Amino acid sequence: MSGFFGFRLPVVDGPTAIYAVRMAGLPVLLVGASAALRAVLEAVRPDRSVGFLAACVVAAVVLVAVAFRMRAGRAAWVPFAAVAVVAWFLLCLLAAFATWQSAPDVVLVRITIFTDLIVPVLCMVLLTGGLRGWWWLRRRAIRSGL
């Protein structure tokens, strides 16, 4: 059984758990790239928010660095990555709410909000495989990536 549309990696032993952790680094890298793109888009806006721009830059740097640590097989970074991705999703949700308040009846705003939120949601779903791998390694007190 492949789980959620084939996105669920089976974790049955040590190598599959480490593989799940490594593969979970890809969605974290995608969210980091999304944060970097959002920072660039925010930097060129004439009415930019310096606080939101700083949050985007910090999120991009942290998520990309954590993604490379996870791709190296460091399972201890998975819970931190999960919290960081959820925090990025909440920040995007807050930005979407502010955008919605500025122009609630414009169809383009609705499309923009949907596309801004779909990447973090899909990446959170894909990150669950890494959490399962981390949990499997933690339950058996196996240290990975040393």
Short mmCIF file of all heavy atoms in Angstrom, two decimals, residues 54-92:
data_model
loop_
_atom_site.label_atom_id
_atom_site.label_comp_id
_atom_site.label_asym_id
_atom_site.label_seq_id
_atom_site.Cartn_x
_atom_site.Cartn_y
_atom_site.Cartn_z
N ALA A 54 12.34 40.52 6.27
CA ALA A 54 13.34 39.90 7.14
C ALA A 54 12.93 38.48 7.52
O ALA A 54 13.76 37.57 7.55
CB ALA A 54 13.55 40.75 8.39
N ALA A 55 11.65 38.28 7.80
CA ALA A 55 11.17 36.94 8.15
C ALA A 55 11.35 35.98 6.97
O ALA A 55 11.73 34.82 7.17
CB ALA A 55 9.70 37.00 8.57
N CYS A 56 11.10 36.45 5.77
CA CYS A 56 11.28 35.61 4.58
C CYS A 56 12.74 35.24 4.38
O CYS A 56 13.07 34.08 4.07
CB CYS A 56 10.75 36.32 3.34
SG CYS A 56 8.97 36.49 3.28
N VAL A 57 13.63 36.20 4.56
CA VAL A 57 15.07 35.93 4.38
C VAL A 57 15.56 34.93 5.44
O VAL A 57 16.27 33.97 5.12
CB VAL A 57 15.88 37.24 4.42
CG1 VAL A 57 17.36 36.97 4.51
CG2 VAL A 57 15.55 38.09 3.21
N VAL A 58 15.17 35.16 6.69
CA VAL A 58 15.59 34.24 7.77
C VAL A 58 15.04 32.84 7.52
O VAL A 58 15.75 31.84 7.66
CB VAL A 58 15.16 34.79 9.15
CG1 VAL A 58 15.31 33.74 10.22
CG2 VAL A 58 15.97 36.02 9.49
N ALA A 59 13.77 32.76 7.14
CA ALA A 59 13.16 31.45 6.87
C ALA A 59 13.86 30.75 5.72
O ALA A 59 14.11 29.54 5.79
CB ALA A 59 11.67 31.63 6.56
N ALA A 60 14.19 31.49 4.67
CA ALA A 60 14.87 30.88 3.53
C ALA A 60 16.22 30.31 3.92
O ALA A 60 16.56 29.17 3.59
CB ALA A 60 15.01 31.90 2.40
N VAL A 61 17.00 31.09 4.64
CA VAL A 61 18.34 30.65 5.04
C VAL A 61 18.26 29.44 5.97
O VAL A 61 18.96 28.43 5.77
CB VAL A 61 19.12 31.81 5.70
CG1 VAL A 61 20.40 31.32 6.34
CG2 VAL A 61 19.42 32.89 4.67
N VAL A 62 17.39 29.50 6.95
CA VAL A 62 17.27 28.40 7.92
C VAL A 62 16.76 27.14 7.24
O VAL A 62 17.31 26.04 7.44
CB VAL A 62 16.34 28.82 9.09
CG1 VAL A 62 15.95 27.62 9.93
CG2 VAL A 62 17.03 29.87 9.94
N LEU A 63 15.73 27.25 6.42
CA LEU A 63 15.16 26.06 5.79
C LEU A 63 16.12 25.41 4.81
O LEU A 63 16.22 24.18 4.75
CB LEU A 63 13.84 26.41 5.11
CG LEU A 63 12.68 26.66 6.05
CD1 LEU A 63 11.50 27.29 5.32
CD2 LEU A 63 12.25 25.37 6.73
N VAL A 64 16.85 26.20 4.04
CA VAL A 64 17.81 25.62 3.10
C VAL A 64 18.95 24.94 3.86
O VAL A 64 19.37 23.83 3.50
CB VAL A 64 18.33 26.70 2.12
CG1 VAL A 64 19.53 26.20 1.34
CG2 VAL A 64 17.22 27.12 1.18
N ALA A 65 19.43 25.56 4.92
CA ALA A 65 20.51 24.94 5.70
C ALA A 65 20.04 23.63 6.34
O ALA A 65 20.76 22.62 6.31
CB ALA A 65 20.99 25.91 6.78
N VAL A 66 18.84 23.63 6.90
CA VAL A 66 18.30 22.42 7.52
C VAL A 66 18.06 21.35 6.46
O VAL A 66 18.31 20.15 6.70
CB VAL A 66 17.01 22.75 8.30
CG1 VAL A 66 16.29 21.49 8.72
CG2 VAL A 66 17.35 23.58 9.52
N ALA A 67 17.61 21.74 5.29
CA ALA A 67 17.36 20.76 4.22
C ALA A 67 18.65 20.04 3.83
O ALA A 67 18.65 18.82 3.64
CB ALA A 67 16.75 21.45 3.01
N PHE A 68 19.74 20.79 3.73
CA PHE A 68 21.01 20.13 3.38
C PHE A 68 21.51 19.22 4.50
O PHE A 68 22.13 18.19 4.24
CB PHE A 68 22.07 21.17 2.99
CG PHE A 68 21.90 21.66 1.58
CD1 PHE A 68 21.54 22.97 1.33
CD2 PHE A 68 22.08 20.80 0.51
CE1 PHE A 68 21.37 23.41 0.04
CE2 PHE A 68 21.92 21.24 -0.78
CZ PHE A 68 21.56 22.55 -1.03
N ARG A 69 21.24 19.59 5.74
CA ARG A 69 21.61 18.70 6.86
C ARG A 69 20.79 17.40 6.78
O ARG A 69 21.30 16.32 7.02
CB ARG A 69 21.37 19.39 8.21
CG ARG A 69 22.16 20.64 8.44
CD ARG A 69 23.64 20.50 8.22
NE ARG A 69 24.21 19.49 9.08
CZ ARG A 69 25.36 18.88 8.88
NH1 ARG A 69 26.10 19.21 7.85
NH2 ARG A 69 25.80 17.98 9.70
N MET A 70 19.50 17.54 6.47
CA MET A 70 18.65 16.35 6.36
C MET A 70 19.06 15.49 5.16
O MET A 70 19.05 14.26 5.25
CB MET A 70 17.18 16.76 6.24
CG MET A 70 16.61 17.32 7.52
SD MET A 70 14.97 18.02 7.32
CE MET A 70 14.05 16.61 6.73
N ARG A 71 19.41 16.12 4.05
CA ARG A 71 19.84 15.35 2.88
C ARG A 71 21.13 14.59 3.16
O ARG A 71 21.41 13.58 2.52
CB ARG A 71 20.04 16.28 1.67
CG ARG A 71 18.79 16.87 1.12
CD ARG A 71 17.88 15.86 0.49
NE ARG A 71 18.51 15.27 -0.69
CZ ARG A 71 18.15 14.13 -1.22
NH1 ARG A 71 17.19 13.42 -0.70
NH2 ARG A 71 18.77 13.67 -2.30
N ALA A 72 21.90 15.07 4.14
CA ALA A 72 23.11 14.35 4.54
C ALA A 72 22.79 13.18 5.47
O ALA A 72 23.68 12.45 5.87
CB ALA A 72 24.08 15.31 5.24
N GLY A 73 21.52 13.03 5.82
CA GLY A 73 21.11 11.91 6.65
C GLY A 73 21.04 12.22 8.13
O GLY A 73 20.92 11.31 8.95
N ARG A 74 21.10 13.46 8.51
CA ARG A 74 21.03 13.85 9.92
C ARG A 74 19.58 13.87 10.37
O ARG A 74 18.85 14.83 10.15
CB ARG A 74 21.65 15.23 10.14
CG ARG A 74 23.02 15.40 9.59
CD ARG A 74 24.04 14.76 10.47
NE ARG A 74 25.36 14.91 9.89
CZ ARG A 74 26.44 14.95 10.58
NH1 ARG A 74 26.39 14.83 11.88
NH2 ARG A 74 27.60 15.07 9.98
N ALA A 75 19.15 12.81 11.01
CA ALA A 75 17.75 12.65 11.40
C ALA A 75 17.34 13.59 12.52
O ALA A 75 16.16 13.90 12.66
CB ALA A 75 17.50 11.20 11.82
N ALA A 76 18.27 14.07 13.30
CA ALA A 76 17.92 14.94 14.43
C ALA A 76 17.34 16.27 13.97
O ALA A 76 16.68 16.95 14.76
CB ALA A 76 19.15 15.18 15.29
N TRP A 77 17.53 16.66 12.72
CA TRP A 77 17.01 17.92 12.21
C TRP A 77 15.56 17.83 11.75
O TRP A 77 14.94 18.86 11.47
CB TRP A 77 17.88 18.41 11.05
CG TRP A 77 19.20 18.91 11.51
CD1 TRP A 77 20.37 18.20 11.52
CD2 TRP A 77 19.49 20.19 12.04
NE1 TRP A 77 21.38 18.99 12.02
CE2 TRP A 77 20.86 20.21 12.35
CE3 TRP A 77 18.73 21.33 12.29
CZ2 TRP A 77 21.49 21.33 12.89
CZ3 TRP A 77 19.36 22.44 12.82
CH2 TRP A 77 20.72 22.43 13.12
N VAL A 78 15.02 16.64 11.65
CA VAL A 78 13.66 16.47 11.13
C VAL A 78 12.60 17.18 11.99
O VAL A 78 11.76 17.90 11.44
CB VAL A 78 13.33 14.98 10.93
CG1 VAL A 78 11.88 14.79 10.52
CG2 VAL A 78 14.25 14.37 9.90
N PRO A 79 12.59 17.02 13.32
CA PRO A 79 11.56 17.73 14.10
C PRO A 79 11.68 19.25 13.98
O PRO A 79 10.67 19.95 13.88
CB PRO A 79 11.80 17.28 15.54
CG PRO A 79 12.62 16.07 15.45
CD PRO A 79 13.38 16.14 14.18
N PHE A 80 12.91 19.75 13.96
CA PHE A 80 13.11 21.19 13.78
C PHE A 80 12.59 21.64 12.42
O PHE A 80 11.96 22.69 12.31
CB PHE A 80 14.59 21.55 13.94
CG PHE A 80 14.86 23.00 13.73
CD1 PHE A 80 14.54 23.92 14.71
CD2 PHE A 80 15.43 23.44 12.55
CE1 PHE A 80 14.78 25.28 14.51
CE2 PHE A 80 15.68 24.79 12.34
CZ PHE A 80 15.35 25.71 13.33
N ALA A 81 12.84 20.84 11.39
CA ALA A 81 12.36 21.17 10.05
C ALA A 81 10.84 21.18 10.01
O ALA A 81 10.23 22.05 9.38
CB ALA A 81 12.92 20.18 9.04
N ALA A 82 10.22 20.22 10.70
CA ALA A 82 8.76 20.17 10.72
C ALA A 82 8.19 21.42 11.39
O ALA A 82 7.23 22.02 10.89
CB ALA A 82 8.29 18.92 11.45
N VAL A 83 8.79 21.84 12.48
CA VAL A 83 8.32 23.05 13.17
C VAL A 83 8.56 24.28 12.29
O VAL A 83 7.70 25.17 12.19
CB VAL A 83 9.02 23.19 14.54
CG1 VAL A 83 8.77 24.55 15.15
CG2 VAL A 83 8.56 22.09 15.47
N ALA A 84 9.69 24.33 11.61
CA ALA A 84 10.00 25.48 10.75
C ALA A 84 9.04 25.54 9.56
O ALA A 84 8.60 26.64 9.18
CB ALA A 84 11.45 25.39 10.27
N VAL A 85 8.71 24.41 8.97
CA VAL A 85 7.78 24.40 7.84
C VAL A 85 6.38 24.81 8.30
O VAL A 85 5.70 25.57 7.61
CB VAL A 85 7.78 23.02 7.14
CG1 VAL A 85 6.63 22.91 6.14
CG2 VAL A 85 9.10 22.79 6.43
N VAL A 86 5.96 24.33 9.46
CA VAL A 86 4.65 24.74 9.98
C VAL A 86 4.65 26.24 10.30
O VAL A 86 3.67 26.94 10.02
CB VAL A 86 4.27 23.89 11.21
CG1 VAL A 86 3.06 24.47 11.94
CG2 VAL A 86 4.00 22.46 10.81
N ALA A 87 5.74 26.74 10.85
CA ALA A 87 5.84 28.18 11.13
C ALA A 87 5.78 28.98 9.83
O ALA A 87 5.13 30.03 9.78
CB ALA A 87 7.12 28.49 11.90
N TRP A 88 6.45 28.51 8.79
CA TRP A 88 6.40 29.19 7.50
C TRP A 88 4.97 29.17 6.95
O TRP A 88 4.49 30.16 6.40
CB TRP A 88 7.38 28.58 6.51
CG TRP A 88 7.25 29.18 5.15
CD1 TRP A 88 6.75 28.60 4.04
CD2 TRP A 88 7.60 30.52 4.78
NE1 TRP A 88 6.78 29.48 3.00
CE2 TRP A 88 7.29 30.67 3.41
CE3 TRP A 88 8.14 31.60 5.45
CZ2 TRP A 88 7.50 31.85 2.73
CZ3 TRP A 88 8.34 32.78 4.77
CH2 TRP A 88 8.03 32.90 3.42
N PHE A 89 4.28 28.04 7.09
CA PHE A 89 2.89 27.95 6.64
C PHE A 89 2.02 28.96 7.39
O PHE A 89 1.18 29.64 6.77
CB PHE A 89 2.35 26.54 6.84
CG PHE A 89 0.88 26.43 6.59
CD1 PHE A 89 0.38 26.49 5.29
CD2 PHE A 89 -0.02 26.30 7.62
CE1 PHE A 89 -0.98 26.42 5.04
CE2 PHE A 89 -1.38 26.21 7.39
CZ PHE A 89 -1.85 26.28 6.09
N LEU A 90 2.22 29.08 8.70
CA LEU A 90 1.43 30.04 9.47
C LEU A 90 1.73 31.48 9.06
O LEU A 90 0.83 32.32 9.00
CB LEU A 90 1.66 29.84 10.97
CG LEU A 90 1.14 28.52 11.53
CD1 LEU A 90 1.52 28.37 12.99
CD2 LEU A 90 -0.36 28.41 11.35
N LEU A 91 3.00 31.76 8.75
CA LEU A 91 3.36 33.09 8.27
C LEU A 91 2.70 33.37 6.91
O LEU A 91 2.19 34.47 6.67
CB LEU A 91 4.88 33.24 8.17
CG LEU A 91 5.40 34.61 7.79
CD1 LEU A 91 5.09 35.62 8.90
CD2 LEU A 91 6.89 34.55 7.55
N CYS A 92 2.70 32.37 6.04
CA CYS A 92 2.03 32.52 4.74
C CYS A 92 0.53 32.69 4.92
O CYS A 92 -0.11 33.45 4.19
CB CYS A 92 2.32 31.31 3.85
SG CYS A 92 3.97 31.26 3.19
#
